[in-house]
Amino acid sequence: MLENDGAAATQRLFFALWPSAELSAGLADIAAAAARRFGGQVSRRESLHLTLAFLGDVPGEAIPALLAAGRQVVAAPFHLQIDRLGFWRHNRLLWAGCAPVPGLQALAGELVAALAAAGQPLPERQRTFAPHLTLARKLPAATSIAEVGDFPCTSLPEWSCSRFVLVASRPSAAGSIYSPLAEFPLSA
Ligand code: NAP
């Protein structure tokens, strides 16, 4: 993946972990089954991701500082086992998640610190890290959180996280289109 030189106009950006094709396929199957049960619009398989830091609209001239911040992050690789579903009523969102993993929390913390040091701090309200992969949106508001929690989310492959990415997001009729701008390896 080539790094963008940042000369472009404003872009909507976020840092994320991107699952393997195998894990994405398993998650997409679960999303489809859950949407048949609960309703909602499923995320596209190729769009599934776990956001580490959402930056929002960023002017092109700030992108080099974001790339530098990503390169400054020192964090070890880790593994995630996605094994649970949840429903957030406030935004009617169905998500997949995992037990707390220290390596994931450390990575998100390092990234927030690197962004602040690079003069690109996240707004206060976006510093609370709630790791999840959005499987579907626009579920009925009355969806039972307990029933979603009981819905099967098993047999997914372990997620070996060894890199994170900076991604641009733009809307389209088929949902947001994500374009990777740069990737950053994790190393002990
Ligand atoms: P997105 O809004 O660009 O979000 C990209 C990623 O950042 C997602 O993982 C999202 O989390 C996360 N994120 C977004 N806002 C955040 C915030 N304030 N704090 C923390 N994390 C945040 O693209 P999207 O997720 O496909 O779209 C989400 C909704 O925003 C859709 O209804 C879309 O129509 C609308 N929207 C999109 C754009 C765009 O340019 N893509 C512009 C305006 C509005 P979640 O998955 O948990 O949302």
Side-chain angles (χ1 to χ4, degrees):
M1 192 183 313
L2 293 176
E3 289 194 354
N4 184 302
D5 67 6
T10 296
Q11 298 189 70
R12 186 175 171 98
L13 301 179
F14 60 100
F15 284 99
L17 295 170
W18 223 264
S20 66
E22 183 189 9
L23 178 54
S24 295
L27 287 163
D29 288 345
I30 291 171
R36 283 194 293 275
R37 168 69 183 82
F38 302 109
Q41 295 178 1
V42 292
S43 304
R44 288 175 302 139
R45 180 189 51 74
E46 63 272 23
S47 296
L48 295 167
H49 65 277
L50 189 158
T51 292
L52 295 166
F54 177 74
L55 301 155
D57 291 335
V58 175
E61 57 267 28
I63 293 178
L66 299 180
L67 297 173
R71 288 191 290 263
Q72 284 295 314
V73 170
V74 178
F78 52 88
H79 293 87
L80 302 178
Q81 185 63 55
I82 304 299
D83 61 1
R84 63 200 66 189
L85 298 185
F87 173 65
W88 286 329
R89 202 176 303 286
H90 72 278
N91 55 4
R92 297 165 50 202
L93 189 151
L94 175 78
W95 53 267
C98 60
V101 170
L104 174 59
Q105 297 290 334
L107 171 59
E110 288 289 328
L111 185 53
V112 168
L115 288 166
Q120 303 292 326
L122 292 183
E124 187 74 48
R125 63 188 157 75
Q126 277 159 228
R127 287 180 210 161
T128 304
F129 181 47
H132 68 283
L133 300 100
T134 297
L135 297 189
R137 299 181 188 278
K138 301 182 180 175
L139 273 71
T143 299
S144 163
I145 292 172
E147 284 185 37
V148 169
D150 287 341
F151 197 81
C153 182
T154 55
S155 306
L156 289 169
E158 189 177 57
W159 189 356
S160 176
C161 301
S162 57
R163 69 188 181 109
F164 65 99
V165 289
L166 177 63
V167 180
S169 163
R170 59 187 168 79
S172 84
S176 298
I177 303 289
Y178 299 140
S179 306
L181 298 186
E183 67 178 39
F184 308 91
L186 300 176
S187 60

